[in-house]
Amino acid sequence: MKLSINKRTSKSVNLEAWKSPSDPSVGNFYSSIFERPPNIIEVFIWNGSRPYWRSGPWNGEVFTGIQSMIDSYFFGFRGGDDGEGNIYIYYAVQNDDEFFIYNLNSKGELEETGWDDEKKEVQVLWTSRESKCDVYDLCGAFASCNSLSSPTCSCLRGFEPRNIEQWNIHNWTGGCVRRTPLQCERVNNKTTSTKEDGFLKLQMIKVPDFAEGLTVTSDICRSLCLENCSCLAYSHDDGIGCMSWTGNLRDIQQFQRGGLDLYVRVANGELDRGRNKTIIIIGTTIIGTLMIVICAYIFWRRTSNHPDIIQSSSRKKSNKASNKGGSPEDYASDNVIGEMSQIKLQELLKFDFEKLATATNNFHFSNKLGQGGFGPVYKGKLQDGREIAVKRLSRASGQGLQEFMNEVVVICKLQHRNLVRLVGCCIEGDEKMLMYEYMLNRSLDAFIFDPSKNKLLDWRTRYNIIEGIARGLLYLHRDSRLRIIHRDLKASNVLLDEELNPKISEFGMARIFGGGEDQANTSRIVGTYGYMSPEYAMQGLFSEKSDVFSFGVLILEIVTGRRNSSFYENEHALSLLGYVWIQWREDNILSLIDQGIYDPSHHNYISRCIHIGLLCAQELAKDRPAMAAVISMLNSETASLPPPSKPAFILRESMLNSKFPEECQNGCSINNVSITDVCGR
């Protein structure tokens, strides 16, 4: 591979990508050299006329913006000026035993491939897209991207988001703005200030794009930048020299190793704020530790001799039901409530009813977030400023009481980043309430099915949501202390936190499996129309594969932006599953994808997710993959997928024949539906 550009004629040798893996015509992506005199050379990948990726400055041995390229020995690149006006970068073969190929693929990724003699195959050894931070200018101006932090983007110290609302929903393109004006700016505005600006040092950084270069020492570089009011940052490297920036600082990335030191100009007050912050943190840590120790001791003294036990008022009622005979589901309810009576209240934080009434403004309608089979859900704000979601058991709901008991037993034993967290509970007389962490962005359905919001979830975000839900289900099925079948997985039961991470909620209908169980049978069908697997809806059989079916439907809804019920225009209309199946067989993938998220560079990823969704929604439970296999499929771009068979319920009439009540055909949860088998005499 060799890239070059002639400084006099501007003629260049570039690397161009194919339009697609099967179409060798010239695509949108190409790679070229960008040079800033006297000594700054970078390699860019362009998507048309827009930058898509860059290597960072070349220091004579390595590209400083590629984290894994610490030692030139491992890559063998050469570059510089040949003395005839040509700036070049090329790869030199290190020895005869190793041979590498550099290729720009149709997705705009530069790949290094090599032959693996043990596996007897060509393998990708390195790619320019090592993380999402490698996409050019992901975080906007004056912000840094760190793929290992959450959120991914953060403003540089001394800066704040330009638009805090957009920033909080992970739309970072607006970038950040300076919090305190520079001394130079105040002088120009005739505002008196005696304190000179200073520099904040950022270490292990991929420095911003389009620097201006000078061949001077580090000290002179600093002085020149400080004396120039237009200079916003500088960096120095022995192999490159002095680099300075007078425009917006873009495409900054925080590395864990390698990179360069970047010195960002800030007002003197920001330097003082950093010093004061360190003192405050140390003092607060010491005081906080002492307070925690004291409070823990007081709490232990008060509770050690008075363990409160949650007593179930419905235990007698459940025992009567079991004595009269019932399904395994009915006996399971007894077990749930029996286990409930063994949970000590100190395992959960107890709330007084009065405090919750105050937090929700006496359960005012304006704070109501929604309504479920359990009862209403309210937004509340505690005295310490924490926001919570309060689920209040409806007094008229006998089913809700059982769900309440079930939900506490299930969720208090679970802890996973993709499951909603239980904060506490309240049991006073007839009042029974559960408190959860409040999710700023509400539920997934509010985004993907709302035309005014669905564009806020780009493809990368939707993929992260799909993967997060999959990991949450795998935890329920295999990795938690209990084996749990959710039985009501749907878009409205997936909540999104402020960083748009998915969290599975609503465990009132969940079922705990014993160690040897892998499926169960019930005559009381619970769940939601359109998400139930056929064996569960028509025979009462449920297992892990029932949740897998629901997950498959959910994948297709996330990709298409359409509800599974949105195709029910007449008696014989196709369901979403039927529509996707027909378009898939006709290889008409584009008609399925939500146009608000479509990008040709993501086509293969989106197509793969549709394929996985169809595999999960296959009619026979034995054909559906387990969640562990689903996650493996999602994380592997190269592993081949088996062809899916026809999904269940491709027509609306086939779903209606499963005997759902008409009032539940719009997406509500079904809490109590009986199925009667008719047998001839």
Side-chain angles (χ1 to χ4, degrees), residues 137-141 153 162 166-167 170-176 250:
D137 197 25
L138 179 70
C139 299
C153 294
R162 180 183 296 275
Q166 291 297 312
W167 190 270
H170 291 192
N171 182 4
W172 299 304
T173 54
C176 304
R250 293 186 177 276

Side-chain angles (χ1 to χ4, degrees), residues 584-596:
W584 173 267
R585 293 187 65 186
E586 295 177 355
D587 199 24
N588 189 15
I589 302 300
L590 280 178
S591 66
L592 300 175
I593 302 170
D594 187 341
Q595 293 305 304

Side-chain angles (χ1 to χ4, degrees), residues 165-214:
E165 292 182 359
Q166 291 297 312
W167 190 270
N168 287 338
I169 61 172
H170 291 192
N171 182 4
W172 299 304
T173 54
C176 304
V177 293
R178 195 176 295 280
R179 188 163 49 207
T180 306
L182 297 173
Q183 188 255 355
C184 280
E185 295 172 357
R186 292 196 293 268
V187 169
N188 292 335
N189 293 330
K190 298 182 180 180
T191 303
T192 58
S193 177
T194 58
K195 293 187 176 181
E196 193 177 57
D197 299 330
F199 292 101
L200 285 176
K201 181 180 179 181
L202 306 179
Q203 296 177 298
M204 293 184 288
I205 295 293
K206 178 181 180 179
V207 296
D209 60 358
F210 306 125
E212 298 174 7
L214 284 173

Side-chain angles (χ1 to χ4, degrees), residues 75-121:
F75 279 77
F77 277 95
R78 302 288 183 269
D81 190 329
D82 65 0
E84 298 179 0
N86 294 308
I87 305 297
Y88 62 90
I89 291 289
Y90 69 91
Y91 174 76
V93 178
Q94 299 295 297
N95 56 65
D96 295 336
D97 296 331
E98 294 182 346
F99 183 74
F100 301 112
I101 297 174
Y102 286 87
N103 169 58
L104 183 64
N105 66 28
S106 58
K107 294 181 289 186
E109 298 169 357
L110 188 62
E111 293 180 333
E112 179 192 69
T113 58
W115 178 256
D116 188 319
D117 202 43
E118 291 184 3
K119 296 183 178 180
K120 304 298 182 185
E121 63 182 11

Side-chain angles (χ1 to χ4, degrees), residues 14-148:
N14 302 331
L15 186 63
E16 296 180 332
W18 285 14
K19 196 168 187 177
S20 73
S22 58
D23 184 353
S25 60
V26 177
N28 291 331
F29 295 98
Y30 71 94
S31 179
S32 67
I33 286 181
F34 183 87
E35 187 254 351
R36 273 283 183 100
N39 202 27
I40 301 176
I41 303 172
E42 293 191 68
V43 172
F44 272 75
I45 295 175
W46 304 85
N47 184 359
S49 60
R50 293 179 290 111
Y52 182 71
W53 174 88
R54 67 185 183 93
S55 64
W58 170 258
N59 70 359
E61 294 183 346
V62 298
F63 290 107
T64 57
I66 299 178
Q67 184 172 200
S68 57
M69 197 175 184
I70 297 176
D71 193 327
S72 60
Y73 171 79
F74 293 108
F75 279 77
F77 277 95
R78 302 288 183 269
D81 190 329
D82 65 0
E84 298 179 0
N86 294 308
I87 305 297
Y88 62 90
I89 291 289
Y90 69 91
Y91 174 76
V93 178
Q94 299 295 297
N95 56 65
D96 295 336
D97 296 331
E98 294 182 346
F99 183 74
F100 301 112
I101 297 174
Y102 286 87
N103 169 58
L104 183 64
N105 66 28
S106 58
K107 294 181 289 186
E109 298 169 357
L110 188 62
E111 293 180 333
E112 179 192 69
T113 58
W115 178 256
D116 188 319
D117 202 43
E118 291 184 3
K119 296 183 178 180
K120 304 298 182 185
E121 63 182 11
V122 175
Q123 290 195 327
V124 176
L125 305 176
W126 172 82
T127 175
S128 60
R129 180 73 186 277
E130 294 180 298
S131 74
K132 58 185 175 183
C133 287
D134 288 314
V135 175
Y136 178 84
D137 197 25
L138 179 70
C139 299
F142 301 107
S144 174
C145 188
N146 186 347
S147 61
L148 299 181

